[in-house]
Every structure is written in C-alpha cells, then in structure tokens.
C-alpha cells in the first residue's frame, strides 16, 4: 500500500520543534509561509505538527515545555494555519511516530548518523562526544519516522533540514530494499532556493533563537524594535552620507520580505546607495513594515489566548485524523517485519 495521496491529493507533511516559545521571521518565511500556501492549494493535503518530543533534546522542565508548545501552537494558528484545511497535531499524541522510530533505527548505520550536522555542530561547540545526549544523536531517526509514517509526497522546510530529509530517503530505500517491497515512497524536500535560509540580524549566520540573532513576530513592540535597531548593516559605511551597499545587507533583505510598500523600498535602496539616507530611517521603516505585516496575526493571537480549550480540541481532532494514516502505515510495517500484534 504505497501511496503519497489522500483522495487524489498530494500529501504534504512538516513539523516544527517547540524548543522556544515563539516563532521568528526565519521560521516564518523559510517554512511556515510556504506551508500555509500549500494548505490553500487544492491539489495538496497538508499535515503539520508540533514536534514536542524533539524538544526534549534541550528542554528538561515540564512547565517550560508546556509553555513552548502552547506558544508555538498559538503562533501557527495566528499566522493562518486553518485546521479545517490542514491536519494539525502534536507529535506525542500520535503514538506510532515513536513506534516507527524504534524500527527504523535498525536500517541506518552509526556512520550515517555520525555525519549528521546537528550532532557535528554540538561537537564543534566543545561538547565532548562522551556526553552527547542520545536523544540529540538519534534525533534524525525520529524525524525520519515523523516523515515516513505519512508517506508524504513532499516536506516543506528550510535549508537546514535538507540533510534530515535525505537521511529519511536513505532509510526508506534501505528498508524497501531489505524487504523487496515499496513500503515507503521517497519524500521530496520542498525547499525554496531564495528564502530557504534567512540570515540573522548579525548578518553572518542563519537566523536562530539559540544564536540570539532573531527578529520575532509576536514579542512586545519594544522587543521587536530593539531587534530591528540592532541589526547589522553595511560595515564599511561610517556616516549616513557614505554610499552604502544594498546587496547582502540584512536590513534590505528584510525589507524585501516584509515591506509591502515597494515604492518605499526602491526609494530607500536608491538613497542608501548614494548616501542620502541614514540607517536609523531605514530601520524605522522596517519596523513599521513589520507592524503592518503582522498586525492581524498579533490580534488573532490575543483572541486565541483567551480560548485555550478550543486550541486543545483542535489538536485532539488533528491527532485522531493523523493517527488514521500513521496507524495504517505502522500496521503495514509490522506485517512486513514479521511481527504480529494487536495492530494487525
Ligand atoms: P525547527 O523547529 O528548527 O524549524 C522549523 C522550520 O523553520 C525552518 N527555519 C528556517 N528557515 C529559513 N531560515 C531560517 N533562518 C530558519 N530557521 C528555521 C526550518 O528549516 C524548519 O523547516 N527538525 C525540525 C522539526 C521536525 C520536522 C520533522 C520537520 C521534526 N520532525 C518532520 C519536517 C518533517 C526542526 O527542528 O525545525
């Protein structure tokens, strides 16, 4: 039963880890926005989830975890996730993700796992290999299970997740080859070339909460303003009258993403290039553009916060719906493995 479809629609799957309690514009433009566009595409059947078990690699405090999960769920819904159009759920509420992860670990080698970026990055930060948390080391296996259990056609994510999807494909191929059966179709990474990697406000590295180089979406206005005002620009420009560089300048990258007033953006770029506008004005206009773009979402979030029971209900219904597909795959997997149990 190898299918990447529901009712003739291409199945799409993606997840987000609640390692913090809110999303930033890197998450939004790199992943959430493309995911929401697919939700509104009539040829796709979208499944999006909160990867709460993945957060255990870093969050070891029950109250903080719950707060993060609720925060990210509210962010997603406020940004436009429509539960009547997408199956929206929490990973831990669909039991077969972890069941499949235990199985898939047997079709990937230690050598393959050692090459994973998340693990290698941790080692570079001078954490001794002996003290690496096994949840972090195994993370890509759970992620492969998250994906393969839905037999999706495509996985919309940012560039930093490409290696994980490639591993999921390798595991699927190995499994299919071992049992001479196309149990798992190979999922396509759906990654934008232009916005798959949003640069941080330091102008150097990928925008990431742990690097402290983010622009948030739902934080207080004073916080967002500060994040924007501290943004790196053209390092060679000392005064507002010096000609500046627009290309690769993060402030202008953000203007291109956030500012709906295209004439204003063109004017700022022209004036920056010849040296007739200061950084402060460019950033001030960026802050106003941010406010315009997210005003509606911020309002929606304030309303949703008042009705957390409704949010819980949405997630429960989503988990029930997701489990139908996931459990059917798990049943098939156990059959192929030669394991008889209550599922089959
Ligand atoms: P996470 O929670 O780190 O990030 C969520 C999504 O946001 C994208 N992203 C970015 N895109 C562009 N520029 C950036 N600066 C940027 N920062 C983050 C990420 O690529 C991602 O798409 N392992 C995943 C969660 C996960 C998952 C899955 C995803 C667990 N199981 C199964 C897909 C399918 C993660 O930690 O993403």
């Amino acid at each position: 039963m190898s299918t990447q479809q529901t009712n003739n629609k291409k199945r799409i799957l993606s997840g987000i880890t609640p390692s913090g309690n809110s999303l930033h514009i890197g998450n939004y433009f790199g992943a959430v926005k493309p995911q929401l566009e697919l939700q509104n595409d009539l040829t796709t059947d979208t499944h999006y989830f909160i990867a709460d078990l993945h957060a255990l690699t870093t969050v070891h405090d029950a109250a903080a975890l719950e707060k993060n999960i609720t925060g990210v769920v509210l962010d997603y819904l406020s940004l436009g996730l429509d539960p009547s159009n997408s199956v929206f759920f929490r990973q831990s509420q669909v039991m077969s993700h972890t069941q499949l992860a235990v199985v898939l670990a047997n079709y990937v080698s230690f050598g393959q796992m050692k090459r994973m970026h998340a693990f290698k990055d941790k080692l570079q930060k001078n954490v001794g290999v002996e003290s690496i948390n096994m949840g972090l080391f195994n993370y890509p296996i759970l992620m492969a299970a998250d994906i393969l259990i839905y037999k999706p056609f495509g996985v919309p994510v940012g560039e930093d997740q490409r290696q994980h999807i490639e591993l999921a494909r390798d595991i699927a191929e190995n499994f299919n080859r071992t049992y001479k059966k196309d149990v798992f179709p190979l999922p396509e990474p759906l990654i934008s070339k232009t916005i798959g990697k949003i640069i941080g406000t330091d102008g150097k590295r990928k925008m990431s909460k742990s690097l402290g180089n983010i622009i948030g979406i739902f934080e207080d206005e004073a916080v967002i303003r500060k994040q924007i005002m501290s943004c790196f620009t053209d390092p060679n420009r000392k005064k507002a009258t010096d000609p500046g560089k627009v290309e690769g300048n993060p402030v202008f990258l953000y203007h291109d993403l956030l500012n709906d007033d295209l004439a204003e953006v063109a004017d700022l770029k022209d004036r920056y290039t010849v040296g007739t506008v200061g950084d402060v004005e460019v950033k001030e206009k960026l802050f106003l553009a941010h406010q315009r773009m997210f005003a509606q979402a911020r309002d929606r979030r304030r309303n949703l916060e008042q009705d957390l029971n409704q949010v819980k209900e949405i997630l429960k219904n989503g988990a029930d719906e997701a489990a139908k597909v996931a459990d059917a795959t798990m049943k098939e997997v156990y059959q192929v493995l030669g394991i008889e149990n209550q599922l089959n």
Side-chain angles (χ1 to χ4, degrees):
M1 196 185 56
S2 170
T3 168
Q4 296 176 295
Q5 301 194 338
T6 1
N7 305 327
N8 287 329
K9 291 182 173 189
K10 282 183 187 164
R11 200 174 296 136
I12 300 292
L13 179 279
S14 198
I16 200 154
T17 307
S19 37
N21 65 359
S22 62
L23 301 180
H24 52 72
I25 65 167
N27 297 130
Y28 179 67
F29 289 106
V32 176
K33 189 165 177 253
Q35 289 165 6
L36 296 178
E37 281 161 8
L38 285 165
Q39 160 186 269
N40 299 324
D41 178 333
L42 295 177
T43 65
T44 57
D45 175 44
T46 45
H47 291 64
Y48 299 130
F49 71 95
I50 306 297
D52 48 3
L53 294 170
H54 281 288
L56 294 176
T57 57
T58 53
V59 187
H60 293 169
D61 173 313
L65 183 62
E66 197 52 45
K67 186 164 171 251
N68 288 359
I69 294 167
T70 308
V72 174
V73 167
L74 290 176
D75 285 4
Y76 239 120
L77 290 168
S78 312
L79 288 167
L81 187 127
D82 174 1
S84 65
N85 247 337
S86 285
V87 179
F88 184 48
F89 60 100
R90 275 172 71 162
Q91 177 190 38
S92 63
Q93 291 182 344
V94 181
M95 306 304 157
S96 35
H97 287 231
T98 44
Q99 292 171 353
L100 184 59
V102 169
V103 171
L104 294 184
N106 299 288
Y107 307 88
V108 58
S109 69
F110 180 65
Q112 282 172 295
M113 295 299 292
K114 260 194 339 191
R115 288 192 286 275
M116 292 287 109
H117 295 317
F119 167 65
K120 288 202 323 198
D121 288 353
K122 199 78 176 182
L123 286 185
Q124 272 164 15
K125 283 182 195 145
N126 298 328
V127 176
V129 69
E130 297 297 320
S131 62
I132 288 279
N133 166 345
M134 283 304 290
L136 178 84
F137 188 73
N138 287 337
Y139 181 108
I141 301 179
L142 180 55
M143 180 159 163
D146 295 336
I147 297 173
L148 297 178
I149 201 146
Y150 295 98
K151 303 186 176 186
F153 164 78
V155 187
V157 282
E159 184 61 45
D160 60 348
Q161 299 300 318
R162 184 185 294 279
Q163 194 193 33
H164 292 149
I165 300 178
E166 280 165 3
L167 185 81
R169 290 171 63 98
D170 289 346
I171 295 177
E173 272 183 323
N174 191 15
F175 189 94
N176 293 346
R177 201 180 321 113
T178 305
Y179 295 96
K180 300 187 180 56
K181 207 160 182 269
D182 276 340
V183 177
F184 297 117
L186 305 188
E188 288 299 325
L190 305 178
I191 301 173
S192 161
K193 280 204 175 65
T194 48
I195 49 169
K197 182 179 170 190
I198 307 291
I199 205 89
T201 53
D202 57 1
K204 294 191 192 84
R205 294 164 300 176
K206 175 192 84 161
M207 184 174 287
S208 160
K209 193 146 195 159
S210 61
L211 296 174
N213 63 0
I214 66 159
I215 296 179
I217 300 175
F218 295 101
E219 282 85 344
D220 289 344
E221 282 177 6
V223 174
I224 306 266
R225 174 188 283 275
K226 196 163 168 219
Q227 289 168 340
I228 290 178
M229 288 300 166
S230 65
C231 185
F232 176 99
T233 55
D234 177 351
N236 297 319
R237 192 171 184 251
K238 303 278 178 276
K239 319 186 282 299
T241 48
D242 291 343
K245 210 164 146 238
V246 164
E247 206 184 315
N249 185 330
V251 181
F252 285 103
L253 289 175
Y254 304 148
H255 263 292
D256 284 336
L257 293 170
L258 289 165
N259 199 339
D260 56 353
D261 187 343
L262 301 185
E264 178 176 273
V265 177
D267 173 60
L268 289 172
K269 285 181 179 172
D270 284 348
R271 289 200 285 138
Y272 198 82
T273 311
V274 293
T276 55
V277 65
D279 280 8
V280 173
E281 184 182 340
V282 177
K283 290 177 177 177
E284 196 58 51
K285 297 246 160 75
L286 181 61
F287 174 66
L288 295 173
H290 181 290
Q291 280 190 310
R292 285 197 300 280
M293 172 161 274
F294 294 116
Q296 225 189 356
R298 291 168 67 96
D299 272 354
R300 230 180 279 148
R301 198 179 194 288
R302 275 189 284 271
N303 290 332
L304 275 172
E305 272 167 19
Q306 308 304 318
D307 199 356
L308 293 180
N309 282 336
Q310 186 207 339
V311 172
K312 278 201 174 129
E313 195 60 27
I314 290 172
L315 292 170
K316 188 185 173 305
N317 292 340
D320 290 346
E321 201 53 40
K324 288 183 196 160
V325 180
D327 290 353
T329 305
M330 206 54 224
K331 176 175 164 179
E332 183 190 359
V333 168
Y334 280 134
Q335 251 152 13
V336 171
L337 296 173
I339 291 176
E340 224 177 276
N341 63 14
Q342 55 276 51
L343 267 181
N344 50 31

